[in-house]
């Protein structure tokens, strides 16, 4: 997680400019935006570039909606580590009297949550989560493991902010490797180079850094320091409104998620998993900050790499 805290004045000024130039539109909720034509063009062009760069690995594309079964979130351990970021879906199941009460409260923008019940769905907090149980369902992995692609999945994080780089819902493109420890580690170091090369080819000023997740509470601080010591997460940071911001990150979960979801290798031992995640809105923002808000004035090499004129 690169950009901490709420938006500073540079962040607020960038947001103003993005809105004025038609890149983002405000909804009235912090971190929840409409994406205008030029912004979406860049985001989708970047998404397509990741597809081209990942193509030699022939990842299997497996796409999920932005909602996941609540039981999956509960099982994953996400709520232990990140209860502050999670979101669940609550729906109304009452009678007519309660419906009238709901309407009355909602009409006054008062709290109508007491009239709803927790549903069996939650918001996806990471693009890769639904992949693990889906692959486990197929039985032991084939020899050589599997490589998967989530496509441009929506994920939710409850972190309202005026910083345009800190959204509550955004697109996370993840390439995921499931196999033996050796396979995942070798894959991870290949992607370390490949991701940096990919982003540098777009004229971004990059920094590579070891990182940790924003684990909740006191126990979380210990988890974060272990994560750093074991070098399980690294991030690629680029400037957004003058602040180094994680635009891509790589996570090595060891056999943690595989044990949770009973993912076994061909020989029956617990698999290892790793993922390479690109924050598509953040990449787009970093490009707009590096090259300006007017796409037609971007360097030809960047336009070519993104095939913006194709
Ligand atoms: P895991 O799979 O272990 O949960 P992950 O790698 O999928 O982790 P993160 O590293 O937390 O998840 O996020 C991946 C990328 O998503 C980040 O590198 C960043 O670019 C982007 N990102 C994270 N949080 C936000 C946010 N609030 N707004 C916009 N983009 C974000
Ligand atoms: Zn992931």
């Amino acid at each position: 997680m690169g950009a901490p805290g709420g938006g500073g004045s540079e962040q607020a000024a960038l947001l103003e400019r993005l809105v004025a130039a038609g890149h983002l539109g405000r909804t009235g909720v912090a971190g929840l935006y409409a994406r205008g034509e030029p912004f979406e063009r860049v985001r989708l062009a970047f998404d397509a570039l990741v597809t081209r760069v990942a193509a030699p690995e022939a990842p299997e594309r497996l796409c999920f909606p932005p909602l996941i079964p609540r039981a999956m979130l509960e099982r994953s351990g996400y709520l232990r580590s990140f209860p502050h970021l999670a979101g669940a879906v609550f729906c109304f199941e009452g009678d007519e009297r309660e419906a009238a009460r709901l309407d009355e409260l909602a009409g006054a923008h008062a709290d109508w949550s007491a009239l709803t019940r927790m549903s069996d769905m939650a918001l996806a907090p990471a693009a890769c989560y639904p992949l693990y149980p889906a692959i486990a369902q197929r039985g032991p992995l084939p020899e050589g493991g599997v490589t998967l692609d989530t496509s441009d999945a929506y994920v939710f994080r409850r972190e309202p902010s005026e910083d345009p780089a800190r959204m509550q819902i955004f697109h996370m493109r993840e390439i995921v490797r499931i196999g033996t420890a050796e396979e995942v580690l070798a894959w991870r170091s290949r992607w370390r180079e490949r991701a940096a090369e990919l982003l540098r080819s777009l004229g971004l000023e990059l920094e590579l850094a070891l990182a940790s997740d924003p684990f909740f509470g006191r126990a979380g601080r210990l988890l974060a320091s272990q994560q750093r010591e074991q070098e399980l997460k690294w991030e690629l940071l680029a400037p957004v409104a003058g602040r180094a911001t994680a635009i891509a990150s790589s996570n090595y979960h060891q056999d943690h998620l595989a044990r949770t979801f009973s993912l076994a290798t061909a020989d029956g031992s617990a698999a290892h998993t790793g993922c390479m995640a690109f924050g598509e809105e953040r990449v787009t923002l970093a490009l707009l900050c590096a090259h300006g808000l007017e796409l037609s004035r971007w360097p030809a090499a960047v336009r070519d790499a993104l095939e913006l004129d194709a």
Side-chain angles (χ1 to χ4, degrees), residues 68-129:
I68 61 172
R70 172 164 56 86
M72 184 194 295
L73 188 71
E74 293 162 354
R75 194 173 164 200
S76 71
Y78 191 85
L79 295 168
R80 193 177 319 122
S81 296
F82 312 106
H84 55 308
L85 298 178
V89 178
F90 285 68
C91 300
F92 174 74
E93 290 176 12
D95 59 20
E96 283 189 38
R97 191 181 52 82
E98 288 163 326
R101 177 75 185 133
L102 186 154
D103 184 40
E104 188 185 315
L105 288 167
H109 299 298
D111 182 355
W112 45 276
S113 59
L115 291 156
T116 66
R117 288 176 72 102
M118 183 152 68
S119 79
D120 52 1
M121 292 178 291
L123 287 101
C128 62
Y129 272 39

Side-chain angles (χ1 to χ4, degrees), residues 1 128 157 159 165 167 170 174 233 246-247 249 251 279 282:
M1 298 254 135
C128 62
R157 304 262 171 102
E159 40 187 6
M167 299 183 165
F170 53 94
E174 289 199 60
K233 184 183 185 91
I247 57 173
S249 46
N251 284 280
R282 283 195 183 171

Side-chain angles (χ1 to χ4, degrees), residues 126-129 132 172 174-176 249 251 253 257 274-277:
C128 62
Y129 272 39
Y132 307 113
M172 199 187 282
E174 289 199 60
I175 315 291
V176 179
S249 46
N251 284 280
H253 315 114
L257 284 172
C275 59
M276 178 70 234

Side-chain angles (χ1 to χ4, degrees), residues 17 40 57 62 68 72 79 93 95 123-124 143 153-154 156 160 188 200 202 214 219 248 280-281 306 309:
R17 289 173 53 226
E40 192 64 354
E57 290 184 357
L62 201 51
I68 61 172
M72 184 194 295
L79 295 168
E93 290 176 12
D95 59 20
L123 287 101
E143 205 62 56
Y154 258 126
F156 173 84
R188 180 170 92 135
R200 277 208 186 92
L202 301 179
E280 295 195 330
E281 282 80 356
L306 286 169
D309 302 303

